[in-house]
Amino acid sequence: MTSLRHRIQAVTAVAALAVAALTACSGGGGSANGPIEYWLWDSAQQPGYQKCADAFQQQNPGLKVHISQYGWDAYWSKLTAGFIADTAPDVFTDHLSKFAQYVDLKVLRPLDDLGPTSDIADGDYQQGLAQLWKGQDGKRYGAPKDWDTIAIFYDNAALKTAGVDPAELQTLTWNPTDGGTFEKLIAHLTIDTKGRRGDEAGFDKEHVKTHGLASEGSGGGGWGQTQWSAFAGSAGWQVTDKNPWGTRFNLDQPALQDTLSWYFGLVRKGYMPSYEEIGGANAVGTDKQIQSGTAAIGLSGSWMISTFSKLTDAGGKKLDIGLAPTPIGPSGKRASMFNGLADSVTTLSKQPENAAKWVKFLSGEECQNIIGQSGVVFPARPAGTELAIAYNKNERKLDVTPFTQQVTDKTTFLFPVTTNAADIAALMAPRFDAVYIGSSPVSSLTKLNGQLNDLFKVAQ
């Protein structure tokens, strides 16, 4: 969820980047003779990419790569400041929620125009990934590095205590009327402070010790990726009329609003933490909720596998974490948002050809295999993905099929890529927060939908 302070920062960032777009020709990205500056935000991925940098430098004598890692919030603030002050890196890890705005503001170099990256082929990566990183002009602005889907993480101990066979989680169903077997499960896993479960007489929804389902906020800042997107997608809903570069949003459709009425209704039943319980703008994530016992299961992304696999209880004993696929919805199928990261070259780089060499290496087989062997994420290339699957099976004794089967079964839908991304996020976050809190009805999203669609008219 996004606080007022963060929303103001988002709007300020857009204005600041507009200035950056006008000054992009002046140069930046360090020295033309210095190291290639590369930024990323995930500390868990930094060791793997340092191995890639070492291999790249051995193969390209005279070229050096300097990697800087910053936390998520600081990363984007610093990147925005870097575009303004001509101190942005040569290459940075890009996210689809930011990418469209950067393309609009012309702070990314088309990779097609740089020799080393001009021959990147869509077919080298998981289906649909590479196309996401093309602008409306048809040019490529990001080289795919990884992909992610959503699944259910659970604590085996909590299931065992509740008398639930983990196999039951493999075939869960849900619907917006009564929640299906999914809601029955989380009701049973919910426990109040007197030890009564959510499906037992006398359950006190106002005093809950363990919620059946963890919460990661309202989802308004990221299209419900780890919140409600899997449910809305399996109800047959699509964010926009087409993707990428849609021209109309669909927040006014019953398939979404019925889904959200059910989903946020879980809070009112005591089955999912309230806005206040998880900390508002500084929300405690699903991993911490499961670790502390305040939630039994929760939806999260494949990028969190490493984090969940390291969780321990209060005594330092490793938790027995399991995975299950997202529930089957009214459409008769599961669904998961399909997202991915890419590496982009900034217009401020003083050594764009060298930067492109590094990007080509990052998106190539050798580096992606290195990342796959680290088991932190699923690399964009299929061979790298297979190495990540093997690592999780052999080293963590974890079957990651709940993530990969969404791709195999073609039950994924793409993260929405549109113009005006920052403005959209600034409008959505407070409205979805209000629905989560209960101060606004789900029907209020119809008005929001009109406001979002008006942004397309302004862009024209």
Side-chain angles (χ1 to χ4, degrees), residues 167-251:
E168 294 178 31
L169 276 64
Q170 302 298 317
T171 56
L172 292 172
T173 62
W174 85 276
N175 66 74
T177 303
D178 61 16
T181 58
F182 178 78
E183 182 170 331
K184 288 181 179 179
L185 171 70
I186 61 173
H188 185 65
L189 293 175
T190 301
I191 308 172
D192 69 17
T193 53
K194 292 187 177 180
R196 295 168 297 204
R197 295 190 175 274
D199 55 0
E200 293 179 338
F203 169 71
D204 184 357
K205 65 181 181 180
E206 303 299 331
H207 299 88
V208 176
K209 178 182 179 182
T210 300
H211 296 278
L213 182 65
S215 170
E216 292 205 343
S218 71
W223 292 105
Q225 184 177 11
T226 58
Q227 294 88 3
W228 42 263
S229 69
F231 301 106
S234 65
W237 180 74
Q238 296 181 355
V239 179
T240 50
D241 56 346
K242 61 179 180 179
N243 196 24
W245 310 112
T247 59
R248 187 191 187 284
F249 289 101
N250 296 321
L251 274 69

Side-chain angles (χ1 to χ4, degrees), residues 310-349:
K310 296 175 182 176
L311 294 180
T312 59
D313 62 18
K317 183 181 178 181
K318 189 175 181 297
L319 294 184
D320 183 10
I321 297 295
L323 289 170
T326 58
I328 298 168
S331 68
K333 297 180 180 180
R334 310 182 192 283
S336 171
M337 186 174 282
F338 190 46
N339 193 11
L341 307 182
D343 290 305
S344 296
V345 176
T346 69
T347 53
L348 299 181
S349 175

Side-chain angles (χ1 to χ4, degrees), residues 85-231:
D86 288 3
T87 57
D90 297 289
V91 180
F92 70 99
T93 300
D94 207 346
H95 192 281
L96 284 172
S97 66
K98 313 287 184 179
F99 157 71
Q101 200 82 31
Y102 291 153
V103 172
D104 288 347
L105 295 170
K106 302 185 186 306
V107 293
L108 306 181
R109 288 185 183 269
L111 299 183
D112 318 67
D113 297 347
L114 299 171
T117 50
S118 62
D119 62 347
I120 289 178
D122 294 354
D124 289 339
Y125 308 96
Q126 294 285 0
Q127 186 176 359
L129 273 187
Q131 293 92 319
L132 286 173
W133 297 97
K134 293 180 180 179
Q136 295 186 81
D137 58 4
K139 293 190 175 183
R140 190 187 311 279
Y141 291 91
K145 65 192 294 106
D146 59 40
W147 62 269
D148 55 70
T149 51
I150 305 303
I152 296 172
F153 286 88
Y154 61 85
D155 178 5
N156 266 301
L159 264 60
K160 184 176 181 180
T161 300
V164 175
D165 184 343
E168 294 178 31
L169 276 64
Q170 302 298 317
T171 56
L172 292 172
T173 62
W174 85 276
N175 66 74
T177 303
D178 61 16
T181 58
F182 178 78
E183 182 170 331
K184 288 181 179 179
L185 171 70
I186 61 173
H188 185 65
L189 293 175
T190 301
I191 308 172
D192 69 17
T193 53
K194 292 187 177 180
R196 295 168 297 204
R197 295 190 175 274
D199 55 0
E200 293 179 338
F203 169 71
D204 184 357
K205 65 181 181 180
E206 303 299 331
H207 299 88
V208 176
K209 178 182 179 182
T210 300
H211 296 278
L213 182 65
S215 170
E216 292 205 343
S218 71
W223 292 105
Q225 184 177 11
T226 58
Q227 294 88 3
W228 42 263
S229 69
F231 301 106

Side-chain angles (χ1 to χ4, degrees), residues 1-7 211 213-221 227 263-264 266-268 270-285 289 428-439:
M1 289 171 289
T2 307
S3 66
L4 177 60
R5 174 174 60 84
H6 287 139
R7 295 197 294 274
H211 296 278
L213 182 65
S215 170
E216 292 205 343
S218 71
Q227 294 88 3
Y263 178 78
F264 290 117
L266 298 175
V267 176
R268 266 52 99 182
Y271 302 159
M272 188 168 73
S274 66
Y275 182 101
E276 293 78 13
E277 286 178 271
I278 62 170
N282 299 308
V284 176
Q289 292 173 54
M428 283 185 59
R431 300 297 182 84
F432 273 82
D433 283 355
V435 174
Y436 182 14
I437 293 168
S439 60

